[in-house]
């Protein structure tokens, strides 16, 4: 009986070991990397069926109309970064803010537009805490002699904001008429803050660059706003009263702040390119899809097109979109209402090179007297962003052929370069914003 019990015990133990080893094998075989709350996998992607809610591309595409513009085809132009050293490349464009300050200054930052989260978390590196189930969101950060306090959420209203504010960065949305009306309500209320010393405005501008409504609120016109940073290629930009600001990533739909140290930039990526977007008749996107289909490029690229815009976003679709950036070396970025879109910055965050149409969209956006680079995307061109610019999507097959011939080591170097450039670019934005801030403080102290 003892022998039989021992035999049974040994058999059970052997079976247990076999099952344990097999389970471990399956886990290793199918393991994914989990970083920043998003699973990064090297397997090819699958997205939800068209019957499911699906919109990983942002609200700017909802209003996209027939913006395709026929342009003369020119060779593909790759602008490479000359130097990724912040001090060498960027600092020469930043005003000298080396004045010493004996005092510490409190600066309120009120975010009443989604780009406020990009400013606070991605540029200034602040953290966010929620209060009263998200009615108030706030954060604190000290940089040099500045104590920054960020507030956002529906609870931040004119009559509830701190009445004793002295130094203010106000972040507003001026993209459409209804947003402008809301922004004006805030600007018209500024005289009620009796202790205001200066105001810096960060504005999500109009996609056609109709931002003239800002001028009466500027100090040079008798208003209380000292300086403004505007998104898109506004002709108002003079680097004195008006500065240009990038669109950034779509924080409003949960796009994460990516830690470059956790990215896998050294393994082969299963896709050469990706495009996820809504397609509209007679648009640049429609032509892009025709080029992709007629040249059978879906065998090389992850493509998911939809012919009807849907407003809802799910964790699954956002994760799939992020995966497509992480697993592709190129991200195709056709124009929308403006040449600048979120996916440009989202792609760079993952080391995927944006392929951008170098064409102007309707409106009054254009060149600036103080920025040498021509529109569109003059801010990115000014700082030599490592982006691929094309004039027409008929150039895409040749670009894919070039990518097929590129050695993996060259792709790895390019990924490292674009991630490093983007991180340095954000540092420059922070230094430029704080430089203007400190300069105004210094002027008020005189």
């Amino acid at each position: 009986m003892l022998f039989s019990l021992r035999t049974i015990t040994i058999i059970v133990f052997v079976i247990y070991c076999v099952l344990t080893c097999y389970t471990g094998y399956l886990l290793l075989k199918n393991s994914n990397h989990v970083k920043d709350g998003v699973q990064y996998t090297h397997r090819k992607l699958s997205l939800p069926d068209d019957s499911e809610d699906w919109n990983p591309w942002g609200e700017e595409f909802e209003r996209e109309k027939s913006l395709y513009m026929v342009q003369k085809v020119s060779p593909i132009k790759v602008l490479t970064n000359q130097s990724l050293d912040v001090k060498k490349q960027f600092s020469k464009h930043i005003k000298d803010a080396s004045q010493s300050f004996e005092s510490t200054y409190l600066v309120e930052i009120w975010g009443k537009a989604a780009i406020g989260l990009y400013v606070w978390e991605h540029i200034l590196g602040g953290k966010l805490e929620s209060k009263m189930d998200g009615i108030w969101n706030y954060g604190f950060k000290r940089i040099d002699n500045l104590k920054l306090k960020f507030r956002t959420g529906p609870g931040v209203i004119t009559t509830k904001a701190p009445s004793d504010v002295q130094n203010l960065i106000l972040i507003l949305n001026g993209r459409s008429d209804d947003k402008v009306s809301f922004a004006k309500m805030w600007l018209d209320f500024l005289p009620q803050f009796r202790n205001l010393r200066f105001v810096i405005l960060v504005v999500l501008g109009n996609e056609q660059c109709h931002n003239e409504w800002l001028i009466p609120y500027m100090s040079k016109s008798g208003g209380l706003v000292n300086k403004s940073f505007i998104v898109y290629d506004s002709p108002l930009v003079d680097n004195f009263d008006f500065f240009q600001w990038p669109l950034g990533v779509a924080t409003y739909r949960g796009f994460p702040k990516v830690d470059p140290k956790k990215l896998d930039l050294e393994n082969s990526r299963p896709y050469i390119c990706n495009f996820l977007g809504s397609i509209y008749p007679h648009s640049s996107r429609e032509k892009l899809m025709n080029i992709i289909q007629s040249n059978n490029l879906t065998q090389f690229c992850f493509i998911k097109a939809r012919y009807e815009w849907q407003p809802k976003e799910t964790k699954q679709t956002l994760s799939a979109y992020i995966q497509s950036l992480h697993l592709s070396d190129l991200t195709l970025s056709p124009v929308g209402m403006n040449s600048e879109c979120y996916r440009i910055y989202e792609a760079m965050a993952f080391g995927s090179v944006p392929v951008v149409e170098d064409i102007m969209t309707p409106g009054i956006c254009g060149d600036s007297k103080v920025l040498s680079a021509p529109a569109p995307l003059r801010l990115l061109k000014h700082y030599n962003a490592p982006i691929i610019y094309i004039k027409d999507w008929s150039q895409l097959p040749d670009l894919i052929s070039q990518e097929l011939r590129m050695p993996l080591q060259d792709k790895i170097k390019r990924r490292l370069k674009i991630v490093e450039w983007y991180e340095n670019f954000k540092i420059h934005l922070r230094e430029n914003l704080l430089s203007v801030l400190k300069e105004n403080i210094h002027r008020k102290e005189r």
Side-chain angles (χ1 to χ4, degrees):
M1 183 68 182
L2 181 60
F3 177 80
S4 299
L5 181 60
R6 179 181 299 174
T7 302
I8 293 172
T9 302
I10 293 173
I11 292 173
V12 171
F13 178 74
V14 170
I15 293 173
Y16 171 78
C17 291
V18 171
L19 290 175
T20 301
C21 293
Y22 182 67
T23 302
Y25 166 75
L26 291 178
L27 289 173
L28 289 173
K29 182 179 179 181
N30 298 301
S31 63
N32 294 335
H33 301 292
V34 179
K35 302 172 184 176
D36 300 324
V38 179
Q39 285 189 328
Y40 300 148
T41 174
H42 286 282
R43 293 177 295 173
K44 291 205 170 183
L45 298 175
S46 61
L47 276 180
D49 296 333
D50 288 344
S51 60
E52 298 185 37
D53 295 329
W54 180 73
N55 170 39
W57 311 288
E59 64 182 4
E60 77 274 18
F61 305 124
E62 176 186 12
R63 297 177 288 114
E64 183 189 71
K65 304 299 180 183
S66 302
L67 292 178
Y68 174 65
M69 302 170 63
V70 178
Q71 299 281 340
K72 182 178 179 181
V73 177
S74 61
I76 295 171
K77 183 179 181 182
V78 181
L79 294 183
T80 56
N81 192 15
Q82 300 300 317
S83 170
L84 292 172
D85 188 323
V86 179
K87 294 182 179 179
K88 290 182 179 179
Q89 183 180 353
F90 292 140
S91 295
K92 62 184 179 181
H93 301 289
I94 301 175
K95 293 183 178 180
D96 182 15
S98 60
Q99 300 97 335
S100 60
F101 298 91
E102 295 181 358
S103 303
T104 299
Y105 297 91
L106 175 64
V107 179
E108 289 276 349
I109 305 176
W110 300 344
K112 296 306 298 178
I115 60 169
L117 294 180
Y118 184 69
V119 173
W120 179 248
E121 295 183 312
H122 294 248
I123 304 303
L124 295 175
K127 295 183 179 180
L128 203 61
E129 296 183 32
S130 182
K131 189 176 182 180
M132 297 178 64
D133 294 326
I135 294 178
W136 284 84
N137 293 283
Y138 60 93
F140 304 89
K141 187 176 181 67
R142 177 164 181 161
I143 301 178
D144 299 329
N145 66 315
L146 301 176
K147 289 184 176 180
L148 308 177
K149 186 171 185 177
F150 179 72
R151 306 172 192 265
T152 189
V156 181
I157 60 177
T158 53
T159 55
K160 296 295 183 181
S163 59
D164 59 348
V165 58
Q166 295 185 7
N167 310 312
L168 175 63
I169 297 177
L170 182 59
I171 305 171
L172 299 173
N173 189 340
R175 171 176 270 173
S176 58
D177 290 342
D178 60 322
K179 301 297 184 183
V180 169
S181 296
F182 180 80
K184 285 183 175 181
M185 179 191 71
W186 272 90
L187 295 174
D188 290 336
F189 196 83
L190 289 181
Q192 303 301 317
F193 300 110
R194 303 297 183 183
N195 297 323
L196 266 182
R197 300 172 72 245
F198 73 88
V199 178
I200 291 178
L201 204 59
V202 180
V203 183
L204 176 57
N206 176 265
E207 288 157 315
Q208 290 80 40
C209 293
H210 295 295
N211 303 306
E212 300 83 2
W213 63 273
L214 286 170
I215 295 176
Y217 294 99
M218 300 300 295
S219 58
K220 67 176 183 179
S221 302
L224 292 179
V225 177
N226 300 92
K227 307 291 179 181
S228 288
F229 290 78
I230 310 177
V231 174
Y232 302 124
D233 294 320
S234 172
L236 292 176
V237 171
D238 56 10
N239 280 0
F240 184 77
D241 293 306
F242 295 95
F243 301 82
Q244 189 159 348
W245 191 259
L247 180 61
V249 304
T251 56
Y252 71 90
R253 58 182 167 89
F255 193 87
K257 182 181 178 183
V258 180
D259 185 349
K261 295 180 181 179
K262 296 181 180 180
L263 287 176
D264 179 4
L265 301 174
E266 299 184 354
N267 284 310
S268 178
R269 295 186 171 184
Y271 302 104
I272 290 179
C273 71
N274 76 81
F275 173 69
L276 291 82
S278 300
I279 308 300
Y280 298 93
H282 313 296
S283 67
S284 172
R285 298 177 183 205
E286 184 178 61
K287 179 169 185 178
L288 170 60
M289 286 304 302
N290 291 337
I291 294 293
I292 289 172
Q293 293 168 356
S294 61
N295 290 274
N296 195 27
L297 299 182
T298 53
Q299 62 179 314
F300 306 114
C301 302
F302 180 71
I303 306 296
K304 184 68 174 179
R306 196 181 191 99
Y307 292 86
E308 181 180 351
W309 188 86
Q310 291 193 7
K312 294 184 179 180
E313 175 74 287
T314 67
K315 290 182 179 180
Q316 185 181 11
T317 56
L318 176 60
S319 178
Y321 171 64
I322 291 173
Q323 290 275 21
S324 73
L325 301 176
H326 187 250
L327 300 181
S328 306
D329 276 302
L330 304 178
T331 295
L332 309 182
S333 183
V335 297
M337 294 293 289
N338 193 283
S339 302
E340 186 173 4
C341 66
Y342 295 112
R343 78 175 76 221
I344 294 174
Y345 303 93
E346 293 166 349
M348 288 194 290
F350 281 94
S352 183
V353 181
V355 180
V356 182
E357 285 185 280
D358 194 11
I359 60 176
M360 293 296 297
T361 51
I364 62 171
C365 300
D367 296 341
S368 167
K369 294 180 180 179
V370 296
L371 293 178
S372 58
L377 304 170
R378 64 190 186 203
L379 188 64
L380 294 174
K381 291 176 180 177
H382 185 71
Y383 292 114
N384 294 323
I387 290 174
I388 297 176
Y389 296 94
I390 65 173
K391 288 292 185 181
D392 192 278
W393 288 115
S394 61
Q395 299 171 257
L396 183 59
D398 289 338
L399 179 58
I400 298 299
S401 296
Q402 294 176 24
E403 290 293 311
L404 287 170
R405 296 191 298 269
M406 181 180 290
L408 176 60
Q409 288 302 316
D410 290 347
K411 292 182 179 180
I412 292 172
K413 291 179 181 178
R414 185 175 63 183
R415 293 172 199 159
L416 292 169
K417 183 176 184 178
I418 196 166
V419 169
E420 185 179 357
W421 182 92
Y422 181 55
E423 292 302 310
N424 286 338
F425 179 64
K426 289 188 291 183
I427 292 173
H428 159 70
L429 294 174
R430 183 187 69 185
E431 294 301 320
N432 197 21
L433 178 62
L434 295 181
S435 174
V436 173
L437 185 61
K438 291 179 180 180
E439 186 176 286
N440 276 269
I441 291 176
H442 181 69
R443 184 178 295 115
K444 294 294 183 180
E445 291 295 307
R446 291 174 182 172

